[in-house]
Amino acid sequence: MIDENLLLNHGAKKVAFSKGDQLFREGESALNFYQVASGEIKMNNYNEEGKEFIQGIFSIGQSFGEPPLLANVKYPANAEAISDAEVFQLTKEQFLQLLSSNPTVHLKITTTLAKRLYYKAIMVSEISSQEPEHRILRIIDYLKHVDKVEGEFNYKLNLTRQQLADLTGLRVETVIRATKSLEKKGELQIKKRKVYR
Amino acid sequence: MIDENLLLNHGAKKVAFSKGDQLFREGESALNFYQVASGEIKMNNYNEEGKEFIQGIFSIGQSFGEPPLLANVKYPANAEAISDAEVFQLTKEQFLQLLSSNPTVHLKITTTLAKRLYYKAIMVSEISSQEPEHRILRIIDYLKHVDKVEGEFNYKLNLTRQQLADLTGLRVETVIRATKSLEKKGELQIKKRKVYR
DNA sequence: GAGAGAATATGATTAGGATCATAAAACAGG
DNA sequence: CCTGTTTTATGATCCTAATCATATTCTCTC
C-alpha cells in the first residue's frame, strides 16, 4: 500500500467505478498503476466455455495490475469492480517515476510482488494436485492469513460458494459438497451458510 | 540476470552442485539469493502421494528463490539440480544491500518478478481450466517465448513427457496421448520423439 | 553390439468431478 | 409481507483423465 498523499503528489487521479464495471480487459496493453481507495476489485479470466477463474480479489490499500506494467506485456486477465469502488490511478510514467524517486516504495512494491508470487506458487501446485478439498482449504487458509486472523474458526469467509469455485477452478456443486465434507471432518465450520475456519 | 562481477563484488560465492542435489527444501527459511552460473535447477513440490509438480526450471543467468527472501516467508518449494550445476549465492543481507545500492538492478529484479507473476497468472488459470491439451500448449508456448524462438515448429522442447506432466499437473500417459493428438491436429510436430512447436 | 535403464507407447478399467435437473432456503427491495 | 433473484442444496448420470498393466523403442555404457 502506497501512501495516498504520495500517490496524489505524483499525479494520481481518483476514479470511481460502479459495481460490474470493467477497469481493463485481458489482452489490452497495461497503461496504468492501480490502488484501491474503496470497494473491491477482482481480476478474472473467462475460458472458452465462459467459465470464470478469479485470479485475486483486491480491497482497500491493495494495488493490482503492476506485473504487466513492469513486464511490458498485455493484461493476462480482466479487472472488474465487485462493488462500487474508487481507485487511485497513475500512468505508467508517473508510476516508474515514483519508483525511481522513492526506493522505499520501490522495495515495498517488490515485496508485494514477491508475496503474490509466493501465493501463486502455492496455488498452482495445489490446484494441479487435484483434490478439491485441499484446494479449498488452502485458499481459505491463505485468505485467513492475508486478513491476519488467528485462532480456530475465528475467520469468517466472505465469499459465496460460487466465488470459491471460481478461485479454485472447481464447480459450485463440488465446492458445496466439499465444504460439507470438510465440516464433517472438523476442518471448518458452517454457520448460517457461512464458512468459518 | 545480474552481472557476474557485480555479484562477486557484493560478496557472492560460486557454489557447485551435482545432479540430484537439493539446494533447499520446502518449508525451510529463505537465507540466500541464487543465480545460475551453469547447469539447470528446478523448483518443485511433492504432494502427499509423492507426485511431483515442477514450479519452474532455471538455467544460466536466471535467478530463483527471491520471492520468499523478499516476502520473508518459508520456501514454498524445493530446489534441485537437474544436471551438475554452479550457482552464485548471496546472503539475504548482501542481496538487499545490492538492491539498495543499485536501483537499476533492483528494477531488473522487480521486472523479473513481474514476468514470473504474469506467467503464473496464466498457468494458474490455464491449469484450472482443465483441458490437458490446452495446458500443454500453453506451457510450451511460454517456454518458446522465454527462449525467444520465433516461427512455426522452430522450437524444440527439451523436456521429457514426464517433466511436461510435472509442469502441467497431468500424468505421463495423458501427456503422451495429448501430444499425439495435438500433432494430429497440426498444433505441433513430433520428430524422433521430440516435440517441436 | 549386447545388456540395462530410461522414455515412450498403448490398451483396459476405474473413479471422481463435471454436468444436468430440480428444489429449497435466504435475501433484497418495493 | 409478498415477489423475484441469488445462493445453497442434492440426487442421477456422464465423461474423461487417472490408474493399472504391459510392451516397445531409444540411449548410454561397457
Side-chain angles (χ1 to χ4, degrees):
Chain A
M1 171 187 188
I2 304 179
D3 181 73
E4 193 171 321
N5 293 319
L6 195 56
L7 285 172
L8 294 171
N9 285 342
H10 278 80
K13 283 191 301 180
K14 198 174 189 175
V15 187
F17 293 92
S18 303
K19 178 177 178 176
D21 285 353
Q22 281 194 325
L23 318 212
F24 55 75
R25 285 164 204 262
E26 183 176 351
E28 288 180 358
S29 293
L31 304 173
N32 298 298
F33 167 85
Y34 297 98
Q35 180 173 305
V36 180
S38 71
E40 286 190 322
I41 307 290
K42 70 176 171 187
M43 286 194 61
N44 65 3
N45 299 99
Y46 295 98
N47 70 10
E48 304 70 52
E49 301 96 52
K51 183 173 174 250
E52 181 177 12
F53 178 80
I54 299 181
Q55 293 279 355
I57 293 178
F58 304 92
S59 48
I60 184 161
Q62 296 186 289
S63 58
F64 58 95
E66 321 89 326
L69 202 63
L70 289 162
N72 227 354
V73 292
K74 311 283 184 185
Y75 282 117
N78 314 291
E80 184 183 320
I82 299 183
S83 61
D84 289 354
E86 294 168 300
V87 300
F88 293 110
Q89 195 172 308
L90 280 176
T91 65
K92 184 173 178 172
E93 293 66 39
Q94 289 168 337
F95 176 60
L96 292 177
Q97 163 61 23
L98 171 54
L99 288 196
S100 67
S101 73
N102 197 320
T104 310
V105 167
H106 186 176
L107 190 60
K108 215 181 219 172
I109 293 287
T110 309
T111 305
T112 303
L113 293 186
K115 279 183 188 152
R116 265 192 253 154
L117 206 39
Y118 173 78
Y119 160 64
K120 290 267 188 221
I122 288 173
M123 277 313 293
V124 78
S125 97
E126 202 59 23
I127 282 186
S128 88
S129 101
Q130 242 56 352
E131 333 264 277
E133 298 188 8
H134 266 226
R135 297 200 204 181
I136 291 170
L137 281 187
R138 274 296 168 94
I139 197 145
I140 295 177
D141 284 343
Y142 171 73
L143 295 170
K144 180 176 178 177
H145 172 250
V146 164
D147 287 351
K148 297 194 171 60
V149 178
E150 301 283 346
E152 207 172 26
F153 308 135
N154 276 333
Y155 178 64
K156 180 187 178 187
L157 185 68
N158 270 318
L159 292 175
T160 65
R161 303 287 189 278
Q162 183 64 58
Q163 288 176 321
L164 203 44
D166 292 339
L167 278 161
T168 49
L170 297 166
R171 299 286 153 161
V172 216
E173 299 94 323
T174 305
V175 170
I176 289 168
R177 291 187 244 254
T179 48
K180 294 206 159 175
S181 154
L182 284 167
E183 188 193 23
K184 215 167 273 173
K185 291 176 185 169
E187 293 287 348
L188 44 80
Q189 290 185 347
I190 302 180
K191 280 187 267 182
K192 296 200 20 128
R193 294 180 156 198
K194 285 289 170 191
V195 172
Y196 292 82
R197 164 94 176 159
Chain B
M1 171 187 189
I2 304 178
D3 181 72
E4 194 173 318
N5 293 319
L6 196 56
L7 286 172
L8 294 172
N9 287 341
H10 278 79
K13 283 191 301 182
K14 198 173 188 175
V15 186
F17 293 91
S18 303
K19 178 177 177 177
D21 285 353
Q22 281 195 324
L23 317 213
F24 54 75
R25 287 162 202 261
E26 182 175 352
E28 290 179 358
S29 292
L31 303 173
N32 298 298
F33 166 85
Y34 297 97
Q35 181 173 305
V36 180
S38 70
E40 286 190 322
I41 308 289
K42 70 177 171 186
M43 287 194 62
N44 64 5
N45 299 99
Y46 295 99
N47 70 9
E48 304 70 54
E49 300 96 52
K51 185 172 173 250
E52 181 177 11
F53 178 80
I54 299 181
Q55 293 279 355
I57 294 178
F58 305 92
S59 47
I60 184 161
Q62 297 186 290
S63 58
F64 59 94
E66 320 88 326
L69 203 61
L70 290 161
N72 227 353
V73 292
K74 310 282 183 186
Y75 282 116
N78 316 291
E80 183 183 322
I82 300 182
S83 60
D84 288 354
E86 295 168 300
V87 301
F88 293 111
Q89 194 172 307
L90 280 177
T91 66
K92 184 172 179 173
E93 292 66 39
Q94 290 169 338
F95 175 61
L96 292 176
Q97 163 60 22
L98 170 55
L99 288 195
S100 67
S101 73
N102 197 321
T104 310
V105 167
H106 186 178
L107 190 60
K108 217 180 218 172
I109 293 286
T110 310
T111 306
T112 303
L113 293 185
K115 278 184 189 151
R116 265 191 254 156
L117 207 38
Y118 173 78
Y119 159 64
K120 290 269 187 219
I122 288 173
M123 277 312 294
V124 78
S125 97
E126 200 61 22
I127 281 185
S128 90
S129 101
Q130 239 62 349
E131 332 264 278
E133 298 190 8
H134 265 227
R135 298 199 204 180
I136 292 169
L137 280 187
R138 275 297 168 94
I139 197 146
I140 295 176
D141 284 344
Y142 170 73
L143 294 170
K144 180 176 178 177
H145 171 251
V146 165
D147 287 351
K148 296 194 170 59
V149 177
E150 301 283 345
E152 207 173 26
F153 307 135
N154 276 335
Y155 177 64
K156 180 186 177 188
L157 185 67
N158 271 318
L159 293 174
T160 65
R161 302 287 189 277
Q162 182 63 60
Q163 287 176 321
L164 203 44
D166 293 338
L167 279 161
T168 49
L170 299 166
R171 298 285 151 160
V172 215
E173 300 95 321
T174 305
V175 170
I176 289 169
R177 291 187 244 256
T179 48
K180 294 206 159 176
S181 155
L182 284 166
E183 187 193 23
K184 214 167 271 170
K185 290 177 184 167
E187 294 287 350
L188 45 80
Q189 290 184 347
I190 302 180
K191 279 187 268 183
K192 298 201 17 128
R193 295 180 154 195
K194 285 289 169 190
V195 172
Y196 292 81
R197 166 95 175 155

